[in-house]
Amino acid sequence: MTELCYYEILQIEKSADKSTIKKAYRKMAMQYHPDKNPGNSEAEENFKAVNEAYQVLSDDEKRAIYDRYGKDGLEGHGQGGGFSRGGFDDLGSIFEEMFGGSFGGGSRQRQRKTYNYNLDTETNINLDFNEAIFGVKKEIKFKYKTACNSCKGTGAKGGKLSTCGTCNGQGQVHMRQGFMTFAQTCPHCEGTGQSVSEKCPDCSGLGYHEKEESFTVDVPEGVNNGNRIRVSGKGNIAPDGSRGDLYILINVKEDKHFVRNDDDIYLEVPIFFTQIALGDTIKVPSLKGEIEVKIPAGAKDKQQFIFKGEGVKSVNGYGKGKFIVQIKIIYPESLNSEQKELLEKLQQSFGIESKPHEDMFSGIFDTVKGWFK
Ligand SMILES: [Zn+2]
Ligand SMILES: [Zn+2]
């Protein structure tokens, strides 16, 4: 197999400038990144090649040597074949630029892999309905992990890891399925290639100690069930002292009367049938205290009255939601004799209007009878 030169690997011209090289590298690293191609060994090889090419071509001195003498020229120039490990810290910062913080955590761990927990951690808080709507200061208590000093987070006695016997240090095992062979992350060492032969006595092999911390968090106005608040620098602590982020997952209790849908609040209001017949103006509770609702005579069951801007303030800062009053018409369950009399009188006073079905169907009875003669 003829080996591709670094320019071919990155698919650029020999005269390419630095920004072109960087752009080409980002594109290809993104394409072949192991996180995007789990278990794909070809992508992994390509990823390594792309990294190797970038490390040389992005360095003016190395690039000059490479251009003149080729790969051989770089031997003994502090490269010694260890390309793919040497520059990882530098690459790490590029990945953070590329993928943002969420990816940063993952890639950081992939590179070092001397501790086996995530730096980001999560905890829950329960909020009352109103606390979520108006915001609140809450004391939260949470647990985080901090690397065990005796084993430097490895979980192995004295920090001494040995080569994983399951994958012989490769970090991958191969599975056959029919005529296909798949590479899989080693289940024993989870891809690190290293394993613990003797557990660290200080942390029982966990690699970390658990600690508790509490602080007051400012929950912003308008948060809702399922929202997460990120508190940077309050996560788990790595052996090198770097600390991940804490995510606070929000649970909101329901209210007896108000129903929340995003930034809108619904309130069901029972209205007696006579109020519907006569029309009425009523006061109902709202987020601000109370709100006046004008029920026109003849309003329908489930009719909604919408008050814009009287809902919840958007946590993202896009104004406020609606406050929606929905009416529910209530009829009396029973009538006393006086009420019955009054209603009968009322009915009679309407004359034919009080029997709309008779008015509508007058004449039809005779027509229908005629069909069967
Ligand atoms: Zn330990
Ligand atoms: Zn292994």
Side-chain angles (χ1 to χ4, degrees), residues 160-203:
K160 282 186 191 115
L161 287 165
S162 40
T163 305
C164 171
T166 307
C167 62
N168 292 320
Q170 296 302 300
Q172 282 195 332
V173 288
H174 295 276
M175 297 263 302
R176 277 186 76 86
Q177 245 175 50
F179 58 89
M180 301 282 280
T181 306
F182 297 96
Q184 276 194 334
T185 303
C186 173
H188 183 65
C189 62
E190 285 168 348
T192 61
Q194 294 179 310
S195 69
V196 175
S197 48
E198 202 178 341
K199 282 183 182 175
C200 166
D202 275 6
C203 61

Side-chain angles (χ1 to χ4, degrees), residues 170-301:
Q170 296 302 300
Q172 282 195 332
V173 288
H174 295 276
M175 297 263 302
R176 277 186 76 86
Q177 245 175 50
F179 58 89
M180 301 282 280
T181 306
F182 297 96
Q184 276 194 334
T185 303
C186 173
H188 183 65
C189 62
E190 285 168 348
T192 61
Q194 294 179 310
S195 69
V196 175
S197 48
E198 202 178 341
K199 282 183 182 175
C200 166
D202 275 6
C203 61
S204 317
L206 287 171
Y208 59 82
H209 297 284
E210 219 161 34
K211 291 202 173 167
E212 205 169 60
E213 188 173 333
S214 59
F215 66 98
T216 305
V217 63
D218 230 329
V219 178
E221 208 174 330
V223 294
N224 207 348
N225 227 356
N227 286 161
R228 295 200 313 169
I229 300 175
R230 189 176 132 236
V231 186
S232 64
K234 289 272 184 200
N236 296 328
I237 302 177
D240 69 359
S242 59
R243 195 165 183 186
D245 299 333
L246 171 70
Y247 287 88
I248 303 172
L249 180 66
I250 290 171
N251 297 315
V252 183
K253 284 185 209 140
E254 286 184 8
D255 185 77
K256 244 176 36 198
H257 301 295
F258 297 116
V259 175
R260 182 168 170 187
N261 179 35
D262 291 333
D263 294 332
D264 297 336
I265 296 288
Y266 288 80
L267 179 68
E268 189 183 65
V269 178
I271 304 287
F272 202 53
F273 79 115
T274 50
Q275 288 175 290
I276 296 292
L278 298 167
D280 203 354
T281 298
I282 57 168
K283 279 182 179 156
V284 301
S286 75
L287 295 184
K288 279 187 191 155
E290 59 179 38
I291 222 167
E292 209 170 64
V293 188
K294 230 177 141 164
I295 313 287
K300 305 283 181 293
D301 192 35

Side-chain angles (χ1 to χ4, degrees), residues 38-54:
N40 180 343
S41 54
E42 195 185 328
E44 198 187 325
E45 284 312 307
N46 287 337
F47 184 68
K48 278 186 193 154
V50 165
N51 280 332
E52 191 180 313
Y54 179 69

Side-chain angles (χ1 to χ4, degrees), residues 108-109 112-119 145-155 206-208 236-244:
R108 237 180 302 165
Q109 234 187 315
R112 293 191 190 122
K113 266 296 182 193
T114 54
Y115 54 100
N116 55 4
Y117 50 92
N118 285 319
L119 287 188
K145 292 166 181 160
T146 179
C148 171
N149 279 331
S150 325
C151 63
K152 306 247 179 313
T154 58
L206 287 171
Y208 59 82
N236 296 328
I237 302 177
D240 69 359
S242 59
R243 195 165 183 186

